[in-house]
Amino acid sequence: MKIPLPPLPPQAVPAGWQWPAQVPPADLQRIIDQQMIVFLERAPRETWHARQAALLDKLLGFAAQASRAWRERLAGAAGSPHERLGALPVLDRETFRALSAKPLPLPPSHGVATAHSTAGRSGPAVGFHVSDHALRIVRHHYAADHLRHGRNLRERRAAIGPRTPAHPGLEHVFTEGNPWLGESHVFTRRSTDFRAEAHAHWLAFVAPAYLSVEPVLFAQMLDAFGGGAPLPRGLKQVMTSGAPIAPALRRRTRELLGASIRDRYACEEIGPVALQCPHDETDEPPMHVCVANAVVEVLNSKNAACLPGRPGRVVVTGLHHWASPAIRYETGDYAMLAPRCGCGADVPVLTGLKRAAN
Amino acid sequence: MSGASPDWDWPSRIPAFHAQRLLDTHVIHTLETAARPFQLHYQGQALNALIAHARQASSWWREWLAPPPGVAGVPLKEMPVLERQHFRAAVESAGPLPLPPWHGGVSKNATSGSSGVPVTFFVSELASRVVDACFFDDHRRHGRDLRQKMAALLTRFAPHPGMPHRLLPADPAQGVGPIATRRSQDKPVREHAAWLRAVDPVYLNTSPTILSGMLDAYEAGETRPSNLRQVMSIGETVFPELRRRARDILGASIRDRYSCEELGPIALQCPHDTGDEPALHTCVANVIVEVVDEAGKPCAPGETGRVLVTGLHHWASPAIRYDIGDVAALAPQCGCGAQVPTLTRLLGRRRFLIRLPSGERKLLKLDAREWLSVAPVREYRVTQHTVQAVRVELVMDRDLSAGEHEAALALLREAVHPSFDFEVKRVAAIGWAPGAKRQDVVSLV
């Protein structure tokens, strides 16, 4: 592409912002949530553990009250919220499907439930529901991840993914950033509409500082760069999700593009499960469990907790997902769990992640 | 969040004060790091609202801000400069201006008189909130871990007879460690030095004068604190030598805050500048800062002049192009990359700077050791009475000898300027102005 990228349109200043008098509630909520998520990640264990206990208590109480099936499932559990959780049966995919056929009746504070389904990566697709409240927490975890990794969101960002609406005839579309949230525009592009080599050329043309992309496609783009496609300049970080990241991919990214990969481990049913440690620069960095969103366990074949450093099945409990509760939900993935990170964060970390499809 | 307080139930709810603070510090940070056009857009809107309010709420301000005949609107730089006596007149004329509900209640404050002209004024809850948030955000700017122990040694604390300090306990649920607060004017500095060692904080909030006195005590043999990393200074000019001494003696860096009592924070030290004369980022979320010459025209970048400040949120007692009596230079942005106007060469109060024959202002600092090299001086004050005449008062137990008198004159000619007429007198006591701050250099010119 020889025609240079045209200047970005000036950012509109949102009309609802009249700080310090008032700001739009949704923006205020995001600012608070992302700060609280980062705060809990950095807090001592007793702080985030107490918050988890409070949220678990509410979740278990709600599920038992809202659904006979859940009432039966949760019957008999006693002790602290975490103890009650540990005494519950592991929720397999089929049971989750059956329990999630309809959304549980939500309190007003959780908003409306919308229907979702898994992509079927680890088996037949499962339909479930997610409330506005849970979606808010999920979105804001990803917003908080920008803070964690020190990203300047005024620098150019790009995203290539399957969920971008089709944009026939256009190389990409814009998402306008909110200057009050420290954001500029994001260039988004639908991954399925172009081949990897075209994506590679496009990336060199747009030259973002940050790119969000799935690992499989990104590896193909690196092949294109290695095969002679022009290299993008100024790329700092590549945000990945959807598949484990091999050390070799991290090395290739660093050597070819001078950028680092920052991975996010999530499941469709509850959103972010763990986010890459922002301080570990090795090729197999640990993932900090998203303690503000989920309780994560790694279990052996007898459903007992694995010792730290021993691989096992990843089982998650979504703390905010009330419409279709995922309580001790078996993701189908495998990993090792350690009680804290070498960087000093007092949160559990996952390493050696292997996805169900692998 | 710990479950101990029912108010903390994120994500359902958190205490309104904390939600407000999270929002405010976010916005302050966003503005400091934003591109200049965005800062100007925000400041322009806030300024227009301030001026409209002042005009609407006060006949004094309507008259003060009246544009010349035939002129529809006047840009800020062409509005009249508000001297301290005008500010006092404005407040006396109207009291606290009537405020819209979102500004909250109003409290009455007064300046300490360090400018020589004490002023009573009013501050709204909203303005106080923004001031508080600017200072709180400064912790994040300088990478402070607020779970660590902090100490504050200042004049503004209430007396605490019989107690070494008051302790604000830690709140781990909110990520805040203990804060020991101690009133600085009630004990000699040597005792403060010992207290600081006993408390052994990671961060200390105090004035440069107190810090300097404690450093003297540590150099004289008092046991030093071992954990101090940063000293948050306020209220007086920080000299490069003080920064070096703090670094050498305590291993701590000084992080200065430039503020005025009427409007709160004006500029905060650049967190990236590790030099001994660091730049200060103006608090664009709180004020508009200008530096003008004697004729009121903007100084060139880097040229020293009078500091004028406009408080964007101070609606109860507006301060628009307020001359706070200080001298500094202004650059359009900081060397660290932040696109905020940045103050450098912050010389401090004009009235505490000697006016040289050239018209320039000079910061004069003659410390105790230099005087003691001349004579056994217990206190001193240098007062410039006219453009030519400087009077020096020395508190001593006996008269100066002829040789000491000559040595004093030689010191003054070297430190000030050889062209002045110096009068050096031994006095029994110096009539300091009321208040805890003693200014040892005063210019009445």
Side-chain angles (χ1 to χ4, degrees):
Chain A
M1 294 179 200
K2 301 231 171 31
I3 304 169
L5 198 65
L8 287 170
Q11 274 188 291
V13 179
W17 269 84
Q18 293 171 25
W19 182 83
Q22 64 183 38
V23 304
D27 289 345
L28 172 61
Q29 194 70 78
R30 173 174 152 176
I31 290 164
I32 292 171
D33 284 350
Q34 61 189 31
Q35 293 288 351
M36 291 304 299
I37 288 162
V38 169
F39 169 76
L40 284 168
E41 181 184 7
R42 293 178 185 165
R45 185 177 185 280
E46 56 265 25
T47 300
W48 60 257
H49 197 260
R51 185 90 296 260
Q52 283 197 339
L55 290 167
L56 263 180
D57 194 39
K58 285 192 190 176
L59 169 67
L60 298 176
F62 164 75
Q65 170 267 319
S67 152
R68 190 206 301 206
W70 274 106
R71 201 153 45 244
E72 289 169 2
R73 192 173 179 84
L74 298 172
S80 72
H82 283 91
E83 287 169 343
R84 279 150 51 202
L85 180 72
L88 296 174
V90 171
L91 183 66
D92 60 39
R93 200 180 189 78
E94 284 312 305
T95 310
F96 178 71
R97 183 206 303 278
L99 290 170
S100 304
K102 287 184 184 170
L104 298 192
L106 295 172
S109 57
H110 275 248
V112 170
T114 50
H116 289 247
S117 70
T118 64
R121 172 174 56 81
S122 47
V126 173
F128 58 97
H129 299 81
V130 184
S131 68
D132 292 336
H133 174 79
L135 281 175
R136 169 195 132 201
I137 303 300
V138 166
R139 265 200 322 273
H140 295 168
H141 266 78
Y142 291 121
D145 200 40
H146 295 314
L147 291 181
R148 298 171 75 251
H149 287 286
R151 293 174 197 134
N152 177 358
L153 300 186
R154 296 190 182 96
E155 295 185 276
R156 192 170 290 172
R157 291 180 287 156
I160 306 174
R163 294 205 179 111
T164 301
H167 45 88
L170 297 174
E171 291 290 336
H172 51 252
V173 290
F174 281 118
T175 304
E176 266 220 38
N178 183 340
W180 282 110
L181 299 177
E183 304 176 321
S184 66
H185 309 306
V186 181
F187 293 79
T188 60
R189 180 168 160 109
R190 192 163 152 110
S191 56
T192 46
D193 290 354
F194 304 87
R195 293 187 312 185
E197 184 153 358
H199 286 310
H201 279 271
W202 174 83
L203 192 69
F205 175 62
V206 170
Y210 308 107
L211 169 67
S212 171
V213 67
E214 290 181 330
V216 170
L217 173 59
F218 185 60
Q220 293 167 352
M221 291 167 68
L222 287 178
D223 290 341
F225 294 131
L231 299 177
R233 278 182 291 185
L235 187 64
K236 292 181 187 173
Q237 295 182 12
V238 179
M239 292 103 69
T240 55
S241 58
I245 304 296
L249 186 64
R250 293 184 188 272
R251 279 193 295 273
R252 284 184 76 200
T253 305
R254 196 166 55 240
E255 286 160 8
L256 265 176
L257 304 179
S260 60
I261 289 179
R262 308 297 174 110
D263 197 30
R264 291 96 46 102
Y265 170 44
C267 71
E268 288 155 300
E269 294 87 335
I270 68 161
V273 175
L275 302 171
Q276 182 171 317
C277 173
H279 306 289
D280 190 306
E281 294 179 358
T282 65
D283 287 333
E284 293 184 85
M287 310 281 285
H288 291 188
V289 164
C290 296
V291 292
N293 189 48
V295 177
V296 176
E297 303 168 82
V298 169
L299 306 180
N300 61 22
S301 56
K302 295 186 172 65
N303 287 340
C306 291
L307 290 173
R310 299 297 293 269
R313 299 140 52 216
V314 178
V315 166
V316 299
T317 300
L319 294 167
H320 309 282
H321 286 67
W322 286 21
S324 297
I327 300 174
R328 292 200 101 200
Y329 179 55
E330 177 127 30
T331 60
D333 299 331
Y334 288 78
M336 294 178 280
L337 189 70
R340 61 182 54 80
C341 191
C343 75
D346 203 9
V347 290
V349 293
L350 290 172
T351 55
L353 187 59
K354 288 182 171 40
R355 304 291 178 102
N358 304 111
Chain B
M1 286 189 333
S2 65
S5 165
D7 291 334
W8 280 95
D9 193 20
W10 181 82
S12 299
R13 67 178 177 278
I14 69 173
F17 168 77
H18 291 282
Q20 194 72 75
R21 175 170 270 180
L22 285 174
L23 169 66
D24 290 344
T25 51
H26 165 88
V27 170
I28 288 161
H29 170 65
T30 296
L31 282 167
E32 184 181 8
T33 54
R36 188 70 184 134
F38 186 72
Q39 295 170 1
L40 288 171
H41 169 83
Y42 169 73
Q43 289 192 325
Q45 286 196 317
L47 179 65
N48 287 344
L50 168 68
I51 289 171
H53 161 74
R55 280 204 173 112
Q56 178 268 319
S58 158
S59 59
W60 191 96
W61 278 103
R62 258 196 304 284
E63 197 178 316
W64 181 260
L65 295 174
V71 176
V74 177
L76 180 69
K77 63 182 180 183
E78 290 175 25
M79 291 182 188
V81 171
L82 190 74
E83 307 281 356
R84 209 167 219 105
Q85 63 267 27
H86 304 133
F87 181 69
R88 185 161 61 185
V91 176
E92 286 173 358
S93 161
L97 299 193
L99 298 174
W102 61 84
H103 271 257
V106 166
S107 61
K108 190 173 177 179
N109 289 29
T111 63
S112 63
S114 63
S115 60
V117 181
V119 174
T120 299
F121 57 97
F122 299 90
V123 182
S124 70
E125 284 178 7
L126 183 140
S128 293
R129 184 193 111 203
V130 174
V131 164
D132 176 60
C134 284
F135 282 126
F136 191 80
D137 186 61
D138 199 39
H139 295 313
R140 179 205 52 78
R141 296 173 77 253
H142 289 286
R144 293 176 197 133
D145 177 359
L146 296 186
R147 292 171 297 188
Q148 303 292 330
K149 192 187 293 183
M150 195 177 290
L153 184 54
L154 298 165
T155 57
R156 62 179 166 87
F157 295 126
H160 43 85
M163 296 192 297
H165 52 254
R166 288 185 200 280
L167 186 69
L168 304 175
D171 188 345
Q174 297 178 38
V176 176
I179 304 174
T181 64
R182 178 172 166 106
R183 193 166 145 98
S184 58
Q185 62 268 47
D186 291 347
K187 296 284 183 193
V189 170
R190 196 172 189 96
E191 286 192 35
H192 292 322
W195 168 81
L196 192 68
R197 171 67 184 102
V199 172
D200 213 10
V202 175
Y203 309 110
L204 171 66
N205 182 1
T206 193
S207 71
T209 298
I210 296 290
L211 175 65
S212 180
M214 292 197 291
L215 292 175
D216 290 342
Y218 298 132
E219 281 187 315
E222 193 70 41
T223 307
R224 305 168 189 197
S226 56
N227 281 322
L228 198 60
R229 282 193 224 143
Q230 293 183 15
V231 179
M232 291 122 34
S233 59
I234 198 164
E236 301 158 20
T237 307
V238 178
F239 298 100
E241 191 204 337
L242 185 65
R243 293 184 188 271
R244 282 190 287 274
R245 290 184 71 210
R247 202 164 53 233
D248 294 343
I249 296 169
L250 297 176
S253 60
I254 293 178
R255 310 296 175 109
D256 199 27
R257 290 92 48 89
Y258 173 47
S259 67
C260 70
E261 288 157 303
E262 297 89 328
L263 301 176
I266 299 170
L268 303 170
Q269 185 171 314
C270 173
H272 307 289
D273 189 339
T274 54
D276 286 335
E277 293 184 84
L280 289 95
H281 295 184
T282 59
C283 297
V284 290
N286 188 43
V287 292
I288 294 173
V289 178
E290 305 167 79
V291 169
V292 300
D293 61 22
E294 294 297 328
K297 299 289 178 236
C299 289
E303 181 190 351
T304 56
R306 300 154 63 194
V307 177
L308 306 183
V309 193
T310 300
L312 295 171
H313 311 293
H314 286 70
W315 284 25
S317 295
I320 300 172
R321 297 201 94 206
Y322 183 41
D323 183 346
I324 57 173
D326 287 347
V327 172
L330 189 68
Q333 62 184 62
C334 190
C336 74
Q339 292 184 41
V340 282
T342 298
L343 286 173
T344 59
R345 302 179 64 200
L346 185 57
L347 301 184
R349 289 274 184 265
R350 251 190 339 273
R351 71 189 295 265
F352 306 140
L353 305 172
I354 297 290
R355 186 184 184 279
L356 297 179
S358 64
E360 265 189 277
R361 292 278 171 177
K362 178 173 176 173
L363 183 65
L364 172 64
K365 195 67 181 171
L366 282 169
D367 67 21
R369 277 177 287 194
E370 286 168 285
W371 283 114
L372 287 171
S373 71
V374 166
V377 172
R378 290 199 286 111
E379 290 178 21
Y380 61 91
R381 182 165 64 185
V382 176
T383 307
Q384 180 179 17
H385 286 271
T386 70
V387 292
Q388 201 58 37
V390 173
R391 185 172 193 253
V392 179
E393 300 161 276
L394 301 177
V395 175
M396 295 173 55
D397 293 335
R398 57 163 176 80
D399 285 336
L400 281 160
S401 69
E404 288 168 343
H405 189 260
E406 278 308 309
L409 288 175
L411 177 66
L412 288 161
R413 288 183 192 118
E414 169 73 29
V416 186
H417 197 272
S419 70
F420 283 108
D421 298 326
F422 292 105
E423 181 194 356
V424 179
K425 282 192 76 86
R426 176 234 171 186
V427 297
I430 294 174
W432 298 107
K437 198 185 291 189
R438 290 182 171 185
Q439 288 303 142
D440 49 18
V441 178
V442 178
S443 173
L444 302 178
V445 175

